[in-house]
Amino acid sequence: MFASILENVRAKRPLVHNITNYVTANDCANLLLACGASPIMADDPLEAEEVTALSQGLHLNLGTLHSQTVPAMFASGRKANALGLPIVLDPVGAGVSAFRRETVQKLLDEIRFSAIRGNFSEFKALALGSESIRGVDAAAGDRITEENLDQAISFAEAFARQKNTVAAITGAIDLVTDGTKTFRIRNGHPAMGSVTGTGCQLSALTAAFVSANPERPLEATAAAVCAMGIAGETAYRRLSSLDGNASLRAYIIDAIYRLTPEQLENEADWEIRRA
């Protein structure tokens, strides 16, 4: 199911405009290059809309939200909507501050997103306007487990239907849904949590996959989540006794670079539930 999605990324090499955070911008750019896409970062309002018009997709990330980048996000989002370009939102730390809560709610009101990728706490903040005390990480009580899986799926499906988007809630168990069809994905490794920005990289990867497969946003998002999880598994297997999280970070990017359509097809660990 997913092999053709990666093949399209490599064949089309979509240009993805990223308005992202300064902590992980370099890793996002390198991961996009590794998967076969082309990155561009432009967050000044004077050029953001123009850059979006030249791109095949848009990735908005709230990780280091700044009052000067917010107008660029809205200008780029409106331009992408007008041109019919895919947009992926990463609502990093959406519940951390009033500024983030207000900005992301306005984005949801005014911009149509092809996919939204975040952890369970961030999605709860989007849906309920709740505050977070864990910063950009999911709160302990918001982790998806086998015990709360059905409840989490119902939440994700309702959110996707309400926002008319693909919701990708990632964690130990990943959920990707359009409100009707839900992928439950179990790829990845816990060590990925020791690397800053794996979620940001996944959101950029999702933007590339959806941009190259705009007619299949659900499957493209699920494929990106599987690909990132497989990369984490592959990277962890490479670690030696002297390697740490810095090596893991590099190995994840290497694994995406070396990922083949056949490997993605064969190692993706997913199942489908229909609402």
Side-chain angles (χ1 to χ4, degrees), residues 4-273:
S4 63
I5 290 174
L6 179 55
E7 289 170 351
N8 285 339
V9 176
R10 299 263 165 86
K12 297 179 180 180
R13 300 189 63 83
L15 178 64
V16 179
H17 180 198
N18 301 265
I19 301 180
T20 186
N21 71 78
Y22 56 72
V23 176
T24 63
N26 182 261
D27 286 345
C28 288
N30 279 311
L31 197 83
L32 285 169
L33 289 171
C35 79
S38 181
I40 187 168
M41 275 69 173
D43 60 9
D44 193 300
L46 294 177
E47 68 168 355
E49 182 177 346
E50 185 177 358
V51 170
T52 298
L54 298 173
S55 305
Q56 284 75 59
L58 176 64
H59 164 218
L60 302 181
N61 179 299
L62 273 61
T64 51
L65 195 64
H66 195 284
S67 59
Q68 292 182 350
T69 63
V70 170
M73 289 185 175
F74 281 95
S76 292
R78 294 185 186 109
K79 174 58 73 172
N81 278 170
L83 296 175
L85 302 178
I87 313 176
V88 173
L89 173 67
D90 188 336
V92 180
V96 166
S97 67
F99 177 42
R100 293 196 194 209
R101 290 192 297 274
E102 292 166 4
T103 299
V104 76
Q105 289 301 328
K106 189 175 180 183
L107 283 168
L108 291 173
D109 289 341
E110 298 187 18
I111 307 297
R112 159 80 171 93
F113 293 99
S114 303
I116 301 173
R117 203 282 328 156
N119 62 45
F120 206 176
S121 292
E122 289 161 349
F123 269 91
K124 286 177 66 175
L126 298 186
L128 308 172
S130 58
E131 297 182 13
S132 169
I133 58 173
R134 282 283 297 168
V136 300
D137 298 321
D142 290 339
R143 296 191 179 115
I144 299 175
T145 65
E146 296 296 341
E147 288 71 27
N148 68 3
L149 183 58
D150 287 342
Q151 180 182 3
I153 289 172
S154 296
F155 172 89
E157 290 174 344
F159 182 93
R161 287 192 296 268
Q162 181 184 19
K163 303 300 183 183
N164 189 28
T165 190
V166 173
I169 304 179
T170 54
I173 301 172
D174 304 314
L175 302 177
V176 180
T177 183
D178 61 1
T180 300
K181 182 178 178 181
T182 300
F183 286 85
R184 288 173 285 184
I185 299 168
R186 291 180 171 84
N187 287 111
H189 192 279
M192 296 172 75
S194 67
V195 177
T196 296
T198 51
C200 300
Q201 293 174 60
L202 171 54
S203 295
L205 187 68
T206 301
F209 276 42
V210 176
S211 296
N213 300 273
E215 74 288 352
R216 300 174 64 191
L218 175 64
E219 290 77 11
T221 302
V225 172
C226 288
M228 192 67 184
I230 292 168
E233 295 165 359
T234 303
Y236 185 78
R237 289 196 297 269
R238 283 189 63 184
L239 293 178
S240 74
S241 60
L242 297 178
D243 288 332
N245 63 338
S247 297
L248 183 65
R249 167 178 168 267
Y251 292 159
I252 288 172
I253 297 173
D254 287 346
I256 291 293
Y257 184 84
R258 293 292 182 182
L259 183 67
T260 66
E262 294 75 21
Q263 182 187 7
L264 176 56
E265 192 73 39
N266 294 332
E267 296 185 17
D269 185 1
W270 58 271
E271 57 187 347
I272 290 178
R273 160 175 162 162

